[in-house]
Amino acid sequence: MYKVYLNLNELRQLITTSLPNYLSNAVDNLVLGCFTGLRVGNYLNIDPDVNINLKTGYIQAICNKNGPRLLIPIHPEIEKMIHRLGGLPRPISEQKFNKYIKEACRVAGINDKIVWFRTEGGRRVEHVNEKWELISSHTARRTFATNSIKAGMSIFDVMQITGHRSVKTFMLYICIDQEEAAERMKNHHFFSKAITVEQLPGVYWVKLNNKWIVAELHPGGVWKILGTEIILHKDSIDEIGEKIERK
């Protein structure tokens, strides 16, 4: 089955949807996993008296039976949940959990069409599902990893929380599609400025904060607004225009 995650808007949509108690409890458990990165066996079985410390702002957990001890910051959504419920959501079996969170996501309108492919009998077969159909207990961990990386957190910091020891294994949890990757790249400085040839000292039109002004390039690469001692840092110049020939 194709692996998906819930972006922050979808999480907000899910949290704010009015649901019957049994679905609301399942959503609370899902949110717990989405903001801790814990494995399903951990986030469905957290002892709040032992593992959650609101005073220090951390959750302590063990990755698996023989895994490392994890120290996870308490996300504001988790703190809000604890205050709202007077603790953590009711425990639920994984089988019911998987059934209920699909139903909750359907009711919340998380129904984008997902097109995915799988090799079956040596043929590449196309499948189309609404997103809610692909949600499972493992979605929470992928959601935490993906949203953390998209927010700019260090891969290695996030791995300390998820308990992954291999970057290769961790990257299997990151769900960033081509459109999202392109959007992130578009905002990178690499795509923000055209290549310019090296300018010789002289007077030029330069674009600064969307306005064209006249500046002088001095030997050593120092830019100054013409007729002043105001220095312009090269990174602040949006574009360098034509050279002005002095008469």
Side-chain angles (χ1 to χ4, degrees), residues 63-200:
C63 183
N64 51 48
K65 185 178 293 186
N66 299 311
R69 179 169 292 278
L70 307 175
L71 191 63
I72 306 169
I74 297 176
H75 191 278
E77 286 295 337
I78 303 300
E79 188 170 1
K80 280 168 53 179
M81 178 194 302
I82 292 171
H83 289 306
R84 172 168 54 85
L85 299 176
L88 291 175
R90 300 186 306 278
I92 183 175
S93 70
E94 188 172 350
Q95 183 179 7
K96 287 184 176 179
F97 178 68
N98 280 321
K99 178 182 177 181
Y100 292 166
I101 58 174
K102 282 182 172 63
E103 185 177 348
C105 288
R106 179 184 61 79
V107 173
I110 299 174
N111 53 14
D112 286 351
K113 290 289 191 296
I114 306 294
V115 180
W116 56 285
F117 298 88
R118 182 170 60 193
T119 301
E120 299 174 4
R123 295 186 305 113
R124 190 169 184 258
V125 180
E126 177 183 299
H127 296 266
V128 181
N129 291 91
E130 292 192 347
K131 191 169 186 176
W132 65 266
E133 297 178 283
L134 303 175
I135 302 296
S136 73
S137 57
H138 300 293
T139 302
R141 195 159 158 86
R142 286 193 292 274
T143 295
F144 175 82
T146 302
N147 285 331
S148 297
I149 296 304
K150 287 180 66 177
M153 291 178 62
S154 158
I155 287 178
F156 298 102
D157 286 344
V158 179
M159 285 174 59
Q160 290 295 318
I161 293 176
T162 61
H164 285 100
R165 296 179 179 178
S166 160
V167 173
K168 182 179 179 180
T169 303
F170 173 77
M171 292 306 294
L172 296 176
Y173 283 80
I174 305 303
C175 306
I176 298 178
D177 62 26
Q178 185 177 13
E179 184 176 343
E180 290 173 321
E183 182 66 24
R184 286 162 63 87
M185 290 172 66
K186 186 179 76 171
N187 294 325
H188 193 278
H189 68 80
F190 179 80
F191 288 94
S192 65
K193 294 183 180 180
I195 297 175
T196 57
V197 296
E198 184 177 352
Q199 282 80 25
L200 297 174

